[in-house]
Every structure is written in C-alpha cells, then in structure tokens.
Amino acid sequence: MRRIVVLLPVALFVASCGGGGSTTAPTSSAAGQTIQISEKEFSLSPSTVSLAKAGTYEFKVTNNGAIPHALEIEGNGVEEKTGDIAPGSAMTLRVTLSKTGSYDMYCPVDGHRAQGMKGSVAVGGASGAGQGTTTTSTKPGY
C-alpha cells in the first residue's frame, strides 16, 4: 500500500508533463484531439493544421487581440463556427471532419478574412503524420 502512495504522485506528475508543452500540437480530449488556435489582428496561429485522419476535433480558440474575433471551419460539406470571442477570452469549437482533404479556417467577422485571418486544415495524406503546424524552412539550400 505504501508503494501506491509513493508512486501515485510520481505518476500524476509525469502525466501532467504532457508532450513537451507545445501549444500548437493537438492534445487528447473527449472529442479526440484539441487543437489550440490563437487569433489576433489579423492572423491565426498556427495558420496551417495537419491532422492524420478524419474524425471529431476540438479547436480551442483564444482571442489574443484587442477586438472581437471568431473562427469558422468549412469545406467538404462542413460549415461550423464559433460565436464572437471577446478579447482575452477563449471558446471551443467541436467539428467533425469526416472526409480527408483540405478545409478552410478563418475569422468570419466582417473583413477579417480578407485582412489575413485565414488558414487551412489538412486531413489525411502524407502531411497528416506530424499532426501539428506546417512550417517552411528559411535556410538556404532547402
């Protein structure tokens, strides 16, 4: 019994450490995975999300800007969006992405998409293996 008392806090500490503290990689949730999205004038971060397979995902959207924003995901028969998110607030959008392919992700507040608050969600395919942000190397020769 004493071993359980000693090992339980250690197990809880190790479990709370997670996967290295990355806020852009999907984490587990009741829906399957949670993807963190940060919004501010006028960008989404990350702007590209790659998911290995179709399924139900939660997008935790945090407004780090000074004006209201929202998040909409559409494509392949899907059109889901949050309500307005006040500055400093967060909202979770649960979306079932049932088909492989590309989905548009953007802020539907008037004019925000045209000003750069847009991105994409890629489901399935070779790019889905990383399940995080897609980046491009800026090193010469790559």
Side-chain angles (χ1 to χ4, degrees):
M1 182 68 176
R2 184 176 174 119
R3 282 186 179 172
I4 292 173
V5 172
V6 172
L7 293 177
L8 184 60
V10 172
L12 291 174
F13 174 76
V14 170
S16 70
C17 289
S22 173
T23 58
T24 58
T27 58
S28 294
S29 74
Q33 292 182 326
T34 300
I35 296 93
Q36 305 285 331
I37 303 290
S38 171
E39 294 185 311
K40 63 181 181 179
E41 296 77 33
F42 285 94
S43 64
L44 301 179
S45 180
S47 62
T48 304
V49 176
S50 296
L51 303 170
K53 62 182 180 177
T56 300
Y57 296 92
E58 288 185 347
F59 290 79
K60 183 176 181 194
V61 188
T62 303
N63 182 349
N64 292 310
I67 60 176
H69 294 296
L71 185 74
E72 183 163 342
I73 297 176
E74 72 174 80
N76 297 310
V78 171
E79 186 171 359
E80 299 289 337
K81 64 181 173 180
T82 66
D84 285 351
I85 305 168
S89 297
M91 193 173 285
T92 300
L93 176 64
R94 189 175 188 175
V95 183
T96 299
L97 305 172
S98 60
K99 298 177 183 176
T100 59
S102 184
Y103 296 80
D104 292 326
M105 171 177 68
Y106 59 92
C107 178
V109 173
D110 292 339
H112 291 196
R113 183 179 191 178
Q115 294 181 62
M117 290 191 76
K118 60 186 175 181
S120 64
V121 179
V123 177
S127 65
Q131 293 191 2
T133 13
T134 301
T135 57
T136 303
S137 176
T138 57
K139 295 180 182 178
Y142 286 98

